Amino acid sequence: MAEPGYCGRFAPSPTGPLHFGSLVTAMASYLEARARHGRWLLRIDDLDQTRCVPGMAGHIMRTLEAFGMHWDGRPAWQSRNQAAYQAALERLRRDGRLYHCRCSRRQVAAAATRSGPEGPIYPGTCRGLDLGPGPGRATRIRVDDTPIRFEDGLFGPQTQNLSEWVGDFVVHRADGYFAYQLAVVVDDHLAGINQVVRGADLLASTARQLWLHDLLGQPRPRHLHVPLVLGPDGKKLSKRDAAHPVDPAQPLPDLLAAWTFLGQTPPQDRDLSVEEFWQWALPLWQPERMKQTESRDERTTDPL
Ligand code: GLU
């Protein structure tokens, strides 16, 4: 199906080598873009420098190339996009949406009377205080009490009321970094991304991001969230734990395992080069088959 305007992306954080879980996400996003003859961009999410590991961005890029996932154009870097985040923050501030907050995480937890799926809901302690900026002060955005609705490409219709889910959330952190929720919205808009394919752990963030797109007067991208690969402890594999790195010297076994994890039927002939794999796989890609994929333990995933 030709969809000329399609523009997708993969946005790894350079906190560790690419692991099987991020390979699965990269593959789904790559297949969606290429099967629609769209563009596929790479962004390095190095916003929070305290979590980034030196040299890891280059390592991730070389790994993607070894796996035959070639991106269009030059990679974007969040660390180089600070001026755009600042401009978005200023716009939200001018619109009267933002306020400074001096509450620590512990104070929020102690003061919160309600808890949402992501933990204590900020009780609005600093909402009316009109605090100025200062060291250790975060900037929060005042949320609305109206439901945000969207259709996820895999998980279907979603509704989230931000005041019941997270409350006023942080857009600029107390340690000086812009918050992920704001940065990703600015980045995706700047790059012209209209289809976000990423791990299902970010499904819960999507309403916040769509709402920010609305407030900034930007068109909403569509979203498709990919089932997560879980470790033996039932938690998402984490790059920071150096969990299960994939081997760029032997891409095919991991490519086939990722393809199978995504609910696709493995090839009869497994003696393929990386290029042959993609030529074979692209016309056969059926995203709806990911519905059969339940998030599961990678080690019990033995498709071969
Ligand atoms: N950088 C994020 C991660 O590695 C993904 C951000 C996104 O896809 O929106 O989990």
Side-chain angles (χ1 to χ4, degrees), residues 9-13 43 45 78 180 184 188 196-199 201-202 209 236 239:
R9 48 72 159 182
F10 178 55
S13 307
R43 184 180 74 231
D45 278 1
Q78 285 192 324
Y180 158 73
V184 74
D188 283 338
V196 173
V197 177
R198 60 184 180 185
D201 54 323
L202 293 171
Q209 294 167 11
K236 183 195 170 202
K239 283 212 259 351

Side-chain angles (χ1 to χ4, degrees), residues 236-281:
K236 183 195 170 202
L237 293 187
S238 159
K239 283 212 259 351
R240 269 177 296 168
D241 308 333
H244 312 259
V246 289
D247 182 1
Q250 285 198 51
L252 206 68
D254 283 326
L255 280 175
L256 293 177
W259 173 256
T260 309
F261 179 86
L262 291 170
Q264 314 295 309
T265 310
Q268 299 287 329
D269 175 9
R270 289 169 188 184
D271 189 18
L272 300 169
S273 68
V274 168
E275 286 69 31
E276 285 165 343
F277 166 79
W278 288 110
Q279 275 167 17
W280 169 84

